[in-house]
Amino acid sequence: MFDLLVAVSLHVLSSAFVSVPNTPAIIIRHDRPDQRYLDLGARFPAVGRVGRRMGDGTLIGDRWVVTAGHVANGLMRRSDDHSVWFGERSYKVAKAYISPKWEEFGEHDIAVLELEEPVTGIKPLGLYRAFDERHRVATLVGHGRTGVGNSRERREDDQKRGATNRVEEATASQLVFRFDAPPSGTDLEGIPGAGDSGGPALIMVHGVARVAGVSSAGQPGTDGPGSYGALDYFTRVSTHAAWLDKVVAGKVRATDFGGAPVSNTDHSGRVRVGAALPAASGGQLPDTPAGRRMRALSSLMIGGDSLAIEGFFRENVAESALGGQSLPDRLASYRRMMDKYRGGERVRVLLAEQYHVDVLIRTASGDLILGVQVAPTAPHRIVGVLEGRM
């Protein structure tokens, strides 16, 4: 399981996402009973859980699941549970297809998972192909933690919830939703959280739900992630429908996860933000922006003085990564993390990219993962820190 302590605008991995949404799952209105959201979510059995808290996905063919690109990438490269769960039944993932336009923290955050066997007893949902999404009401579905828009308290029950929201804006590649406080918004207004990455925005066509968007990223509201005023960004399915059709028709080659998660270069030959590097041996870090930041961060976590954390934060961490929290709260999170890693040893590099590095740290209490994401522009300050257990 991974926790994101310092965040960027992306719904990644799992539980605690700080700067950008998706810390919880579906966040609901404070003046509506939770059961109504649970009842709405139960109407969509085609929405399943991807991996072990990696995110959500929607069945669009008997063995095809659409999800977010970063969810598919995390599932295939970091998870030991390559499966999609529909209710209590799991289906193994055979292959993953990530949009060739996808890159970390960018747009076009969409992918398809091909299952080893067909899903039985659940009717797949079709794609929304029209380009009239703006101002239409959609149903957002997801699992995980939940809470209400006027509180930071969250609880985790792993239940599926549905909420409604109106498409505020539609760009060439994304649909944008805002979490409006009552009395504004829809009757069952809500917004996704971190566990909802890859989940759908569904628009009804003649009474039948169709997948119009895929949950990708967000921005915190007036009181932090998932609070009223939060924005959520969904990859626009109508823009990517032709590519999705080709994947399901078997006309697209599956993504190769042996090296880079996707093609390393764009048409000009420049290295993309998410480009993978040759794997480093042992705990040797690459001489890259992420590698250099990881060297400093891991040294602090393993053997640093907790009093030094504030200076490190001010020098190395982007101010935008506070994500609605106060500086003392964020520093307290770092100090708690140091208690887990203190006295450990960096033994292996798990993922090496220009702007993202994950390492394995061996401690007296077991093997832990530490990850760092840095901004792609100088001075390459830290925008995301991941921690987790193998």
Side-chain angles (χ1 to χ4, degrees), residues 123-298:
K123 185 177 181 179
L125 301 184
L127 305 181
Y128 192 83
R129 300 175 183 275
F131 290 87
D132 61 352
E133 303 98 329
R134 190 166 184 256
H135 294 161
R136 293 186 68 112
V137 173
T139 299
L140 316 179
V141 184
H143 301 75
R145 296 186 191 179
T146 189
V148 293
N150 65 348
S151 171
R152 292 194 180 193
E153 293 184 10
R154 304 292 183 240
R155 71 181 189 278
E156 185 171 1
D157 58 13
D158 204 30
Q159 295 193 64
K160 185 189 302 181
R161 288 174 174 80
T164 56
N165 205 310
R166 193 177 302 275
V167 180
E168 177 131 333
E169 190 59 69
T171 69
S173 58
Q174 294 180 315
L175 303 178
V176 185
F177 295 90
R178 181 186 299 276
F179 192 12
D180 291 320
S184 299
T186 63
D187 180 48
L188 288 182
E189 183 87 358
I191 204 77
D196 295 325
S197 286
L202 306 172
I203 292 179
M204 305 302 289
V205 179
H206 303 302
V208 178
R210 297 189 180 277
V211 185
V214 174
S215 181
S216 174
Q219 295 178 358
T222 55
D223 193 33
S227 63
Y228 292 130
L231 296 177
D232 211 84
Y233 299 86
F234 280 65
T235 304
R236 192 177 187 180
V237 166
S238 58
T239 300
H240 300 84
W243 178 78
L244 293 170
D245 289 341
K246 290 180 180 178
V247 172
V248 174
K251 298 180 179 179
V252 175
R253 181 179 298 178
T255 302
D256 180 6
F257 293 93
V262 291
S263 174
N264 281 345
T265 58
D266 58 21
H267 296 299
S268 67
R270 292 174 298 155
V271 175
R272 286 188 174 181
V273 171
L277 303 170
S281 60
Q284 181 180 355
L285 291 165
D287 187 22
T288 63
R292 291 189 288 273
R293 294 295 187 190
M294 174 57 79
R295 186 172 293 110
L297 176 63
S298 59

Side-chain angles (χ1 to χ4, degrees), residues 53-134:
R53 304 190 183 284
M54 297 300 295
D56 286 337
T58 308
L59 193 69
I60 58 171
D62 63 357
R63 56 190 179 93
W64 302 95
V65 175
V66 65
T67 187
H70 74 269
V71 170
N73 185 54
L75 177 75
M76 303 304 287
R77 298 183 66 177
R78 301 187 183 97
S79 176
D80 58 359
D81 180 15
H82 293 181
S83 59
V84 179
W85 293 77
F86 294 98
E88 298 303 315
R89 173 77 188 276
S90 67
Y91 294 83
K92 290 296 183 182
V93 175
K95 300 176 183 177
Y97 305 76
I98 298 180
S99 169
K101 296 181 179 180
W102 174 80
E103 55 186 34
E104 290 278 7
F105 306 110
E107 299 178 2
H108 310 288
D109 189 15
I110 193 166
V112 178
L113 304 175
E114 181 180 358
L115 307 179
E116 290 183 355
E117 59 180 311
V119 176
T120 58
I122 298 176
K123 185 177 181 179
L125 301 184
L127 305 181
Y128 192 83
R129 300 175 183 275
F131 290 87
D132 61 352
E133 303 98 329
R134 190 166 184 256

Side-chain angles (χ1 to χ4, degrees), residues 314-386:
R314 294 185 184 281
E315 181 180 350
N316 295 277
V317 180
E319 185 176 351
S320 61
L322 283 171
Q325 284 194 322
S326 67
L327 178 59
D329 285 346
R330 175 61 66 244
L331 294 176
S333 296
Y334 263 95
R335 290 188 176 104
R336 286 193 296 271
M337 187 170 68
M338 290 177 69
D339 292 337
K340 302 177 184 179
Y341 291 89
R342 192 179 307 279
E345 177 188 6
R346 192 176 64 230
V347 296
R348 183 152 54 98
V349 175
L350 301 174
L351 174 66
E353 296 178 352
Q354 291 282 353
Y355 307 113
H356 185 178
V357 169
D358 292 344
V359 299
L360 179 68
I361 295 180
R362 185 149 293 156
T363 72
S365 60
D367 288 348
L368 302 176
I369 297 172
L370 182 66
V372 65
Q373 182 84 36
V374 304
T377 55
H380 304 296
R381 292 188 182 276
I382 295 172
V383 294
V385 174
L386 298 159

